[in-house]
Amino acid sequence: MNNPDLTVAPDPRTAGTPTPPAPLYLRRAGTALLIDFSTGEPALLHFGADLGPGLPDLALLRDPVPHSALDTPVTLGLIPQASSGWRGRPGLRGHRNGRAFSARLRLESVTADAPEDAGSAVVTQTDPDAGITVRTELRLNDGGLLQLRHSLANDGVDPYTVEELAAVLPVGRAATEILDLTGRWCRESHPQRLPLHQGTWVRSGRHGRTGHDSSLLLAAGTSGFGYRHGQVWAVHLGWSGNHESFVDTAADGRTVIGAAELLGSAEITLAPGSRYETPWLFAAYSAAGLDGISEAFYAWFRGRPHHPGAVSGKPRPVVLNVWEAVYFDHRLPALLELAESAAGLGVERYVLDDGWFRGRRNDTAGLGDWYVDEELWPGGLAPLIDAVNGHGMEFGLWVEPEMVNEDSDLARAHPDWIAGPAPRPEAGTGGAGGRLPERWRHQQVLDLVNPEAWQYIYDRLDALLSEHRIGYLKWDQNRDLTEMGHAGRPSVHAQTQAVYRLLDALRSAHPGVEVESCSSGGARVDLGILERTDRIWASDCNDALERQTVQRWTGMVVPPELVGSHIGPTTSHTTARTHDLSFRAITALFGHFGLEWDVRRLDPAERGELAAAIGLFKEYRPLLHSGRMVRADEPDPALRLHGVVSHDGGEALYALVCVATSFAEIPGRVCLPGLDPDVRYRLEALYPAPDDRRAFKHALPPAWLDGGIEASGRFLAASGLPMPVLNPEHGLLLGVRRVGA
Ligand code: GLA
């Protein structure tokens, strides 16, 4: 479809070069990526809405050249480079001892899985002068999630240092706002918004782990984009070490969004013939707000063969974790009593938390000594595991394999296995030196890059899993990796890979064992760790009010069946706030549900209510763990509405939550989005009971509250229903089913 009215001056960069390959056009689920090769360099022309079949002649889409600029149009390369005039954040920073600092990568080959309807491709670029080749893998999954990663090979005869290799994508000009997440311990995944101006917005994670403040999602979108409206471009880096994500708007007005591993000084110095592979960048585009971004991520998760949850027919068991019930006070009679009490409530998995291994009476000692403590457990763990299994529950165990206390047999035997900025002397050598990093929770990091340390940890975990009936590991990681080094060189990259290798090896040796990724709560929530674990612990904060935000935003990327979510004690241990059981339960339901509470101490009424809440979860978990997440753009900041709607539109579960006192006397009609407009539904209030005076504060409730109502999906989304007046920090659970279903 060349335009005959346009004449285009030949591009000096491509004159005389062979005919370039056809553009690469990946299209799936309303999203498209378009890469043009007509200049000899893979040029990122478009990432966003599907442009439909058939494209114009892309060579005619080259930008004009402004005054006082390079003489040819500037290409936004798949790896943006100064050699093409790109003056934004470079895609590659690397050198050979200071030389070969500016690469000029040019297309070598492109292969796509299906030329007519490609879903994945590999693009290879090379710069013979710099002696490097970069291979980029691209996959646009059926749900519209794009994956992109580079692998750089050193083809030269001397070492090549990679300082940064970033993955970027273009953002549409319509984007005017940035949104990302931040947080701290007990307050993970909170959103922050800012206008998109010229310049660079960078989120750096230097924690050596993903970080409590990590931007799980970095998004740019159109003005005021919300949960269900506006265009959004979003990225996530699947990596559990240091990283940066950024939005970069150059002086020429173009915006890119991207991310890269953040490397230490000379951390990646490639010997001739070796390569560096970046983590996967995951990216999504939505024409209808953040819910569309979640949909792309959820579809990817749920498409994995090993994905746990309703989709794969592996329902998530109701968990009891004993941490907030007993902490380090491990006594068999109490733990047995807890097991019996939990089983009676309907719990299906019992998790023994920190405190079971040698020398572990508090958090100052023992990490590294992964043997069952003989003094505390004279009969080993078997009496507890047998009882737990006898009650029909699976047994789970807490471990923190990457860490070591200086007060441990392991550290005494192998002081040189503790990671730090300089090599440490071996035991008994009398050697000096090897400064240690500052302690954090009284602990240090075990240098898993050291093959002997890695093997010791593997052998201990393998033995524990082989000798006991353990169905689940809560795999914790409780400190930042500050001054992380192996043999005197920065090693966050290698340590992260060693942890991945450890998990991969253990999982292949014990394929039935599920693993939870915990990191002082949610400091390691990313798709790198989630590729080898089965759920994340979103936060150490079990306060339902805090959890409303933590789970809502963690859930932007991670589907609820992978987000550990427990009913904590009546008065939260981390905030001292007191909440009714109904609010705690309604909050915990929208995740991988469990309890973290001393359930031996409940009165009969509370026990009955808790058993009923567990029953509700079991009834709705197939829906909760397979459906589409919807969040309303609720105008009243005191109210939040979210729900899960089945993909066939046949049923839904919503929660209306009041997080603060409202400016309004009554909530008015609250819209319930996401249902099939043409289907007639029956809606019922499920929990708490309509006469619950602690949850509701009205003289007269809305007429439908007691007994429910029938209405079409269209009516529920467009008109909404008058809601009861909720007291702050209370919620209402609504069940919706197609009439006649
Ligand atoms: C971390 C975890 C908690 C608990 C403790 C045990 O803080 O996040 O859930 O397991 O460790 O020490």
Side-chain angles (χ1 to χ4, degrees), residues 572-602:
S572 162
H573 289 190
T574 53
T575 62
R577 274 198 201 106
T578 296
H579 288 126
D580 285 354
L581 179 53
S582 64
F583 183 49
R584 280 141 61 219
I586 289 170
T587 303
L589 275 177
F590 286 81
H592 179 191
F593 178 90
L595 315 175
E596 194 153 333
W597 187 15
D598 191 348
V599 289
R600 295 171 302 165
R601 314 225 179 277
L602 311 188

PDB file of all heavy atoms in Angstrom, residues 572-602:
ATOM      1  N   SER A 572      -4.521  -7.127  65.218  1.00  0.00           N
ATOM      2  CA  SER A 572      -3.363  -7.422  64.373  1.00  0.00           C
ATOM      3  C   SER A 572      -2.058  -7.286  65.165  1.00  0.00           C
ATOM      4  O   SER A 572      -1.860  -6.298  65.885  1.00  0.00           O
ATOM      5  CB  SER A 572      -3.358  -6.449  63.190  1.00  0.00           C
ATOM      6  OG  SER A 572      -2.082  -6.428  62.608  1.00  0.00           O
ATOM      7  N   HIS A 573      -1.158  -8.242  64.982  1.00  0.00           N
ATOM      8  CA  HIS A 573       0.130  -8.189  65.680  1.00  0.00           C
ATOM      9  C   HIS A 573       1.050  -7.131  65.108  1.00  0.00           C
ATOM     10  O   HIS A 573       2.006  -6.733  65.759  1.00  0.00           O
ATOM     11  CB  HIS A 573       0.817  -9.552  65.592  1.00  0.00           C
ATOM     12  CG  HIS A 573       0.148 -10.610  66.418  1.00  0.00           C
ATOM     13  ND1 HIS A 573       0.700 -11.836  66.648  1.00  0.00           N
ATOM     14  CD2 HIS A 573      -1.040 -10.616  67.084  1.00  0.00           C
ATOM     15  CE1 HIS A 573      -0.112 -12.573  67.410  1.00  0.00           C
ATOM     16  NE2 HIS A 573      -1.184 -11.845  67.671  1.00  0.00           N
ATOM     17  N   THR A 574       0.811  -6.714  63.895  1.00  0.00           N
ATOM     18  CA  THR A 574       1.742  -5.755  63.302  1.00  0.00           C
ATOM     19  C   THR A 574       1.231  -4.311  63.321  1.00  0.00           C
ATOM     20  O   THR A 574       2.015  -3.392  63.117  1.00  0.00           O
ATOM     21  CB  THR A 574       2.079  -6.141  61.839  1.00  0.00           C
ATOM     22  OG1 THR A 574       0.857  -6.312  61.124  1.00  0.00           O
ATOM     23  CG2 THR A 574       2.897  -7.404  61.769  1.00  0.00           C
ATOM     24  N   THR A 575      -0.073  -4.114  63.560  1.00  0.00           N
ATOM     25  CA  THR A 575      -0.570  -2.723  63.588  1.00  0.00           C
ATOM     26  C   THR A 575      -1.385  -2.412  64.847  1.00  0.00           C
ATOM     27  O   THR A 575      -1.745  -1.256  65.065  1.00  0.00           O
ATOM     28  CB  THR A 575      -1.506  -2.441  62.393  1.00  0.00           C
ATOM     29  OG1 THR A 575      -2.640  -3.309  62.507  1.00  0.00           O
ATOM     30  CG2 THR A 575      -0.821  -2.652  61.065  1.00  0.00           C
ATOM     31  N   ALA A 576      -1.745  -3.446  65.605  1.00  0.00           N
ATOM     32  CA  ALA A 576      -2.582  -3.296  66.802  1.00  0.00           C
ATOM     33  C   ALA A 576      -4.006  -2.829  66.467  1.00  0.00           C
ATOM     34  O   ALA A 576      -4.756  -2.452  67.357  1.00  0.00           O
ATOM     35  CB  ALA A 576      -1.944  -2.369  67.841  1.00  0.00           C
ATOM     36  N   ARG A 577      -4.386  -2.874  65.204  1.00  0.00           N
ATOM     37  CA  ARG A 577      -5.789  -2.590  64.854  1.00  0.00           C
ATOM     38  C   ARG A 577      -6.640  -3.826  65.129  1.00  0.00           C
ATOM     39  O   ARG A 577      -6.171  -4.949  64.918  1.00  0.00           O
ATOM     40  CB  ARG A 577      -5.924  -2.277  63.375  1.00  0.00           C
ATOM     41  CG  ARG A 577      -5.695  -0.847  63.010  1.00  0.00           C
ATOM     42  CD  ARG A 577      -6.284  -0.593  61.608  1.00  0.00           C
ATOM     43  NE  ARG A 577      -5.673   0.581  61.033  1.00  0.00           N
ATOM     44  CZ  ARG A 577      -4.765   0.560  60.057  1.00  0.00           C
ATOM     45  NH1 ARG A 577      -4.379  -0.571  59.523  1.00  0.00           N
ATOM     46  NH2 ARG A 577      -4.253   1.685  59.601  1.00  0.00           N
ATOM     47  N   THR A 578      -7.884  -3.586  65.534  1.00  0.00           N
ATOM     48  CA  THR A 578      -8.805  -4.695  65.792  1.00  0.00           C
ATOM     49  C   THR A 578      -9.876  -4.719  64.706  1.00  0.00           C
ATOM     50  O   THR A 578     -10.441  -3.673  64.369  1.00  0.00           O
ATOM     51  CB  THR A 578      -9.450  -4.507  67.185  1.00  0.00           C
ATOM     52  OG1 THR A 578      -8.395  -4.585  68.152  1.00  0.00           O
ATOM     53  CG2 THR A 578     -10.473  -5.585  67.479  1.00  0.00           C
ATOM     54  N   HIS A 579     -10.092  -5.914  64.148  1.00  0.00           N
ATOM     55  CA  HIS A 579     -11.116  -6.037  63.100  1.00  0.00           C
ATOM     56  C   HIS A 579     -12.022  -7.221  63.364  1.00  0.00           C
ATOM     57  O   HIS A 579     -11.563  -8.264  63.844  1.00  0.00           O
ATOM     58  CB  HIS A 579     -10.461  -6.231  61.728  1.00  0.00           C
ATOM     59  CG  HIS A 579      -9.791  -4.997  61.206  1.00  0.00           C
ATOM     60  ND1 HIS A 579      -8.485  -4.971  60.796  1.00  0.00           N
ATOM     61  CD2 HIS A 579     -10.274  -3.742  61.032  1.00  0.00           C
ATOM     62  CE1 HIS A 579      -8.180  -3.742  60.388  1.00  0.00           C
ATOM     63  NE2 HIS A 579      -9.246  -2.983  60.528  1.00  0.00           N
ATOM     64  N   ASP A 580     -13.298  -7.056  62.986  1.00  0.00           N
ATOM     65  CA  ASP A 580     -14.230  -8.176  63.075  1.00  0.00           C
ATOM     66  C   ASP A 580     -13.786  -9.295  62.137  1.00  0.00           C
ATOM     67  O   ASP A 580     -13.137  -9.054  61.108  1.00  0.00           O
ATOM     68  CB  ASP A 580     -15.634  -7.717  62.652  1.00  0.00           C
ATOM     69  CG  ASP A 580     -16.286  -6.889  63.744  1.00  0.00           C
ATOM     70  OD1 ASP A 580     -15.699  -6.774  64.832  1.00  0.00           O
ATOM     71  OD2 ASP A 580     -17.388  -6.355  63.497  1.00  0.00           O
ATOM     72  N   LEU A 581     -14.219 -10.497  62.485  1.00  0.00           N
ATOM     73  CA  LEU A 581     -13.865 -11.655  61.664  1.00  0.00           C
ATOM     74  C   LEU A 581     -14.394 -11.509  60.235  1.00  0.00           C
ATOM     75  O   LEU A 581     -13.722 -11.895  59.274  1.00  0.00           O
ATOM     76  CB  LEU A 581     -14.409 -12.933  62.328  1.00  0.00           C
ATOM     77  CG  LEU A 581     -14.156 -14.237  61.591  1.00  0.00           C
ATOM     78  CD1 LEU A 581     -12.688 -14.420  61.249  1.00  0.00           C
ATOM     79  CD2 LEU A 581     -14.642 -15.419  62.433  1.00  0.00           C
ATOM     80  N   SER A 582     -15.581 -10.925  60.080  1.00  0.00           N
ATOM     81  CA  SER A 582     -16.144 -10.844  58.727  1.00  0.00           C
ATOM     82  C   SER A 582     -15.229 -10.045  57.804  1.00  0.00           C
ATOM     83  O   SER A 582     -14.971 -10.435  56.667  1.00  0.00           O
ATOM     84  CB  SER A 582     -17.553 -10.239  58.749  1.00  0.00           C
ATOM     85  OG  SER A 582     -17.514  -8.903  59.194  1.00  0.00           O
ATOM     86  N   PHE A 583     -14.682  -8.943  58.300  1.00  0.00           N
ATOM     87  CA  PHE A 583     -13.804  -8.118  57.463  1.00  0.00           C
ATOM     88  C   PHE A 583     -12.502  -8.869  57.162  1.00  0.00           C
ATOM     89  O   PHE A 583     -11.996  -8.864  56.033  1.00  0.00           O
ATOM     90  CB  PHE A 583     -13.516  -6.792  58.161  1.00  0.00           C
ATOM     91  CG  PHE A 583     -12.668  -5.838  57.353  1.00  0.00           C
ATOM     92  CD1 PHE A 583     -12.971  -5.551  56.023  1.00  0.00           C
ATOM     93  CD2 PHE A 583     -11.569  -5.210  57.925  1.00  0.00           C
ATOM     94  CE1 PHE A 583     -12.195  -4.671  55.281  1.00  0.00           C
ATOM     95  CE2 PHE A 583     -10.783  -4.332  57.184  1.00  0.00           C
ATOM     96  CZ  PHE A 583     -11.088  -4.057  55.874  1.00  0.00           C
ATOM     97  N   ARG A 584     -11.969  -9.551  58.183  1.00  0.00           N
ATOM     98  CA  ARG A 584     -10.725 -10.302  57.974  1.00  0.00           C
ATOM     99  C   ARG A 584     -10.953 -11.437  56.978  1.00  0.00           C
ATOM    100  O   ARG A 584     -10.124 -11.710  56.106  1.00  0.00           O
ATOM    101  CB  ARG A 584     -10.204 -10.838  59.311  1.00  0.00           C
ATOM    102  CG  ARG A 584      -9.468  -9.764  60.110  1.00  0.00           C
ATOM    103  CD  ARG A 584      -9.751  -9.846  61.608  1.00  0.00           C
ATOM    104  NE  ARG A 584      -9.338 -11.083  62.208  1.00  0.00           N
ATOM    105  CZ  ARG A 584     -10.033 -11.736  63.153  1.00  0.00           C
ATOM    106  NH1 ARG A 584     -11.192 -11.235  63.588  1.00  0.00           N
ATOM    107  NH2 ARG A 584      -9.596 -12.845  63.666  1.00  0.00           N
ATOM    108  N   ALA A 585     -12.080 -12.100  57.103  1.00  0.00           N
ATOM    109  CA  ALA A 585     -12.342 -13.243  56.217  1.00  0.00           C
ATOM    110  C   ALA A 585     -12.617 -12.781  54.788  1.00  0.00           C
ATOM    111  O   ALA A 585     -12.088 -13.345  53.822  1.00  0.00           O
ATOM    112  CB  ALA A 585     -13.518 -14.047  56.748  1.00  0.00           C
ATOM    113  N   ILE A 586     -13.433 -11.731  54.639  1.00  0.00           N
ATOM    114  CA  ILE A 586     -13.752 -11.239  53.287  1.00  0.00           C
ATOM    115  C   ILE A 586     -12.462 -10.796  52.585  1.00  0.00           C
ATOM    116  O   ILE A 586     -12.295 -10.968  51.378  1.00  0.00           O
ATOM    117  CB  ILE A 586     -14.789 -10.091  53.364  1.00  0.00           C
ATOM    118  CG1 ILE A 586     -16.144 -10.665  53.759  1.00  0.00           C
ATOM    119  CG2 ILE A 586     -14.875  -9.324  52.058  1.00  0.00           C
ATOM    120  CD1 ILE A 586     -17.196  -9.630  54.104  1.00  0.00           C
ATOM    121  N   THR A 587     -11.538 -10.255  53.362  1.00  0.00           N
ATOM    122  CA  THR A 587     -10.257  -9.827  52.785  1.00  0.00           C
ATOM    123  C   THR A 587      -9.426 -11.044  52.370  1.00  0.00           C
ATOM    124  O   THR A 587      -8.876 -11.092  51.266  1.00  0.00           O
ATOM    125  CB  THR A 587      -9.495  -8.970  53.814  1.00  0.00           C
ATOM    126  OG1 THR A 587     -10.332  -7.870  54.181  1.00  0.00           O
ATOM    127  CG2 THR A 587      -8.182  -8.456  53.247  1.00  0.00           C
ATOM    128  N   ALA A 588      -9.345 -12.044  53.262  1.00  0.00           N
ATOM    129  CA  ALA A 588      -8.476 -13.202  52.981  1.00  0.00           C
ATOM    130  C   ALA A 588      -9.031 -14.085  51.856  1.00  0.00           C
ATOM    131  O   ALA A 588      -8.272 -14.772  51.169  1.00  0.00           O
ATOM    132  CB  ALA A 588      -8.280 -14.027  54.243  1.00  0.00           C
ATOM    133  N   LEU A 589     -10.349 -14.032  51.653  1.00  0.00           N
ATOM    134  CA  LEU A 589     -10.971 -14.903  50.642  1.00  0.00           C
ATOM    135  C   LEU A 589     -10.399 -14.696  49.235  1.00  0.00           C
ATOM    136  O   LEU A 589     -10.303 -15.636  48.453  1.00  0.00           O
ATOM    137  CB  LEU A 589     -12.471 -14.608  50.553  1.00  0.00           C
ATOM    138  CG  LEU A 589     -13.396 -15.315  51.529  1.00  0.00           C
ATOM    139  CD1 LEU A 589     -14.822 -14.830  51.317  1.00  0.00           C
ATOM    140  CD2 LEU A 589     -13.341 -16.816  51.340  1.00  0.00           C
ATOM    141  N   PHE A 590     -10.018 -13.458  48.928  1.00  0.00           N
ATOM    142  CA  PHE A 590      -9.592 -13.149  47.554  1.00  0.00           C
ATOM    143  C   PHE A 590      -8.091 -13.410  47.378  1.00  0.00           C
ATOM    144  O   PHE A 590      -7.345 -12.569  46.882  1.00  0.00           O
ATOM    145  CB  PHE A 590      -9.954 -11.702  47.198  1.00  0.00           C
ATOM    146  CG  PHE A 590     -11.431 -11.529  46.951  1.00  0.00           C
ATOM    147  CD1 PHE A 590     -12.308 -11.385  48.009  1.00  0.00           C
ATOM    148  CD2 PHE A 590     -11.938 -11.555  45.660  1.00  0.00           C
ATOM    149  CE1 PHE A 590     -13.674 -11.259  47.795  1.00  0.00           C
ATOM    150  CE2 PHE A 590     -13.298 -11.427  45.429  1.00  0.00           C
ATOM    151  CZ  PHE A 590     -14.177 -11.284  46.501  1.00  0.00           C
ATOM    152  N   GLY A 591      -7.648 -14.574  47.818  1.00  0.00           N
ATOM    153  CA  GLY A 591      -6.249 -14.950  47.662  1.00  0.00           C
ATOM    154  C   GLY A 591      -6.147 -16.440  47.864  1.00  0.00           C
ATOM    155  O   GLY A 591      -7.134 -17.163  47.736  1.00  0.00           O
ATOM    156  N   HIS A 592      -4.914 -16.901  48.157  1.00  0.00           N
ATOM    157  CA  HIS A 592      -4.790 -18.292  48.609  1.00  0.00           C
ATOM    158  C   HIS A 592      -4.998 -18.252  50.118  1.00  0.00           C
ATOM    159  O   HIS A 592      -4.116 -17.909  50.890  1.00  0.00           O
ATOM    160  CB  HIS A 592      -3.438 -18.885  48.238  1.00  0.00           C
ATOM    161  CG  HIS A 592      -3.299 -20.305  48.723  1.00  0.00           C
ATOM    162  ND1 HIS A 592      -2.119 -20.982  48.705  1.00  0.00           N
ATOM    163  CD2 HIS A 592      -4.207 -21.156  49.253  1.00  0.00           C
ATOM    164  CE1 HIS A 592      -2.302 -22.193  49.187  1.00  0.00           C
ATOM    165  NE2 HIS A 592      -3.559 -22.310  49.552  1.00  0.00           N
ATOM    166  N   PHE A 593      -6.183 -18.626  50.486  1.00  0.00           N
ATOM    167  CA  PHE A 593      -6.771 -18.374  51.800  1.00  0.00           C
ATOM    168  C   PHE A 593      -6.136 -19.247  52.888  1.00  0.00           C
ATOM    169  O   PHE A 593      -5.813 -20.415  52.662  1.00  0.00           O
ATOM    170  CB  PHE A 593      -8.250 -18.710  51.672  1.00  0.00           C
ATOM    171  CG  PHE A 593      -9.090 -18.581  52.907  1.00  0.00           C
ATOM    172  CD1 PHE A 593      -9.725 -17.383  53.209  1.00  0.00           C
ATOM    173  CD2 PHE A 593      -9.285 -19.667  53.742  1.00  0.00           C
ATOM    174  CE1 PHE A 593     -10.541 -17.285  54.324  1.00  0.00           C
ATOM    175  CE2 PHE A 593     -10.099 -19.571  54.854  1.00  0.00           C
ATOM    176  CZ  PHE A 593     -10.733 -18.376  55.144  1.00  0.00           C
ATOM    177  N   GLY A 594      -6.006 -18.668  54.067  1.00  0.00           N
ATOM    178  CA  GLY A 594      -5.516 -19.455  55.192  1.00  0.00           C
ATOM    179  C   GLY A 594      -5.732 -18.726  56.507  1.00  0.00           C
ATOM    180  O   GLY A 594      -6.399 -17.682  56.564  1.00  0.00           O
ATOM    181  N   LEU A 595      -5.158 -19.316  57.546  1.00  0.00           N
ATOM    182  CA  LEU A 595      -5.277 -18.760  58.897  1.00  0.00           C
ATOM    183  C   LEU A 595      -3.884 -18.596  59.485  1.00  0.00           C
ATOM    184  O   LEU A 595      -2.996 -19.410  59.227  1.00  0.00           O
ATOM    185  CB  LEU A 595      -6.058 -19.708  59.809  1.00  0.00           C
ATOM    186  CG  LEU A 595      -7.336 -20.346  59.278  1.00  0.00           C
ATOM    187  CD1 LEU A 595      -7.875 -21.348  60.294  1.00  0.00           C
ATOM    188  CD2 LEU A 595      -8.370 -19.266  58.996  1.00  0.00           C
ATOM    189  N   GLU A 596      -3.720 -17.560  60.270  1.00  0.00           N
ATOM    190  CA  GLU A 596      -2.464 -17.391  61.002  1.00  0.00           C
ATOM    191  C   GLU A 596      -2.866 -16.854  62.371  1.00  0.00           C
ATOM    192  O   GLU A 596      -2.733 -15.667  62.659  1.00  0.00           O
ATOM    193  CB  GLU A 596      -1.557 -16.424  60.247  1.00  0.00           C
ATOM    194  CG  GLU A 596      -0.141 -16.465  60.741  1.00  0.00           C
ATOM    195  CD  GLU A 596       0.867 -16.070  59.687  1.00  0.00           C
ATOM    196  OE1 GLU A 596       0.598 -16.242  58.479  1.00  0.00           O
ATOM    197  OE2 GLU A 596       1.922 -15.569  60.086  1.00  0.00           O
ATOM    198  N   TRP A 597      -3.403 -17.719  63.194  1.00  0.00           N
ATOM    199  CA  TRP A 597      -4.141 -17.287  64.361  1.00  0.00           C
ATOM    200  C   TRP A 597      -4.184 -18.478  65.305  1.00  0.00           C
ATOM    201  O   TRP A 597      -4.276 -19.628  64.843  1.00  0.00           O
ATOM    202  CB  TRP A 597      -5.564 -16.926  63.868  1.00  0.00           C
ATOM    203  CG  TRP A 597      -6.498 -16.307  64.829  1.00  0.00           C
ATOM    204  CD1 TRP A 597      -6.223 -15.744  66.044  1.00  0.00           C
ATOM    205  CD2 TRP A 597      -7.920 -16.169  64.639  1.00  0.00           C
ATOM    206  NE1 TRP A 597      -7.360 -15.252  66.610  1.00  0.00           N
ATOM    207  CE2 TRP A 597      -8.423 -15.497  65.765  1.00  0.00           C
ATOM    208  CE3 TRP A 597      -8.813 -16.521  63.619  1.00  0.00           C
ATOM    209  CZ2 TRP A 597      -9.772 -15.195  65.905  1.00  0.00           C
ATOM    210  CZ3 TRP A 597     -10.142 -16.221  63.764  1.00  0.00           C
ATOM    211  CH2 TRP A 597     -10.627 -15.557  64.885  1.00  0.00           C
ATOM    212  N   ASP A 598      -4.160 -18.218  66.593  1.00  0.00           N
ATOM    213  CA  ASP A 598      -4.223 -19.320  67.557  1.00  0.00           C
ATOM    214  C   ASP A 598      -5.673 -19.788  67.680  1.00  0.00           C
ATOM    215  O   ASP A 598      -6.428 -19.333  68.553  1.00  0.00           O
ATOM    216  CB  ASP A 598      -3.669 -18.877  68.907  1.00  0.00           C
ATOM    217  CG  ASP A 598      -3.485 -20.076  69.829  1.00  0.00           C
ATOM    218  OD1 ASP A 598      -4.004 -21.170  69.476  1.00  0.00           O
ATOM    219  OD2 ASP A 598      -2.836 -19.930  70.869  1.00  0.00           O
ATOM    220  N   VAL A 599      -6.054 -20.681  66.807  1.00  0.00           N
ATOM    221  CA  VAL A 599      -7.468 -21.076  66.715  1.00  0.00           C
ATOM    222  C   VAL A 599      -7.911 -21.984  67.875  1.00  0.00           C
ATOM    223  O   VAL A 599      -9.075 -22.349  67.959  1.00  0.00           O
ATOM    224  CB  VAL A 599      -7.786 -21.757  65.358  1.00  0.00           C
ATOM    225  CG1 VAL A 599      -7.756 -20.736  64.244  1.00  0.00           C
ATOM    226  CG2 VAL A 599      -6.819 -22.897  65.059  1.00  0.00           C
ATOM    227  N   ARG A 600      -6.969 -22.305  68.762  1.00  0.00           N
ATOM    228  CA  ARG A 600      -7.382 -23.064  69.962  1.00  0.00           C
ATOM    229  C   ARG A 600      -8.191 -22.189  70.902  1.00  0.00           C
ATOM    230  O   ARG A 600      -8.898 -22.666  71.752  1.00  0.00           O
ATOM    231  CB  ARG A 600      -6.147 -23.546  70.746  1.00  0.00           C
ATOM    232  CG  ARG A 600      -5.292 -24.547  70.024  1.00  0.00           C
ATOM    233  CD  ARG A 600      -4.011 -24.779  70.781  1.00  0.00           C
ATOM    234  NE  ARG A 600      -3.249 -23.552  70.985  1.00  0.00           N
ATOM    235  CZ  ARG A 600      -2.243 -23.400  71.837  1.00  0.00           C
ATOM    236  NH1 ARG A 600      -1.869 -24.397  72.600  1.00  0.00           N
ATOM    237  NH2 ARG A 600      -1.605 -22.253  71.945  1.00  0.00           N
ATOM    238  N   ARG A 601      -8.010 -20.881  70.788  1.00  0.00           N
ATOM    239  CA  ARG A 601      -8.562 -19.982  71.793  1.00  0.00           C
ATOM    240  C   ARG A 601      -9.905 -19.354  71.402  1.00  0.00           C
ATOM    241  O   ARG A 601     -10.367 -18.428  72.045  1.00  0.00           O
ATOM    242  CB  ARG A 601      -7.569 -18.861  72.088  1.00  0.00           C
ATOM    243  CG  ARG A 601      -6.154 -19.334  72.300  1.00  0.00           C
ATOM    244  CD  ARG A 601      -5.495 -18.669  73.505  1.00  0.00           C
ATOM    245  NE  ARG A 601      -4.135 -19.152  73.700  1.00  0.00           N
ATOM    246  CZ  ARG A 601      -3.837 -20.292  74.342  1.00  0.00           C
ATOM    247  NH1 ARG A 601      -4.795 -21.048  74.851  1.00  0.00           N
ATOM    248  NH2 ARG A 601      -2.590 -20.677  74.475  1.00  0.00           N
ATOM    249  N   LEU A 602     -10.533 -19.819  70.357  1.00  0.00           N
ATOM    250  CA  LEU A 602     -11.780 -19.189  69.907  1.00  0.00           C
ATOM    251  C   LEU A 602     -12.967 -19.646  70.751  1.00  0.00           C
ATOM    252  O   LEU A 602     -13.021 -20.788  71.185  1.00  0.00           O
ATOM    253  CB  LEU A 602     -12.069 -19.559  68.450  1.00  0.00           C
ATOM    254  CG  LEU A 602     -10.931 -19.399  67.449  1.00  0.00           C
ATOM    255  CD1 LEU A 602     -11.440 -19.627  66.038  1.00  0.00           C
ATOM    256  CD2 LEU A 602     -10.304 -18.032  67.561  1.00  0.00           C
TER     257      LEU A 602
END
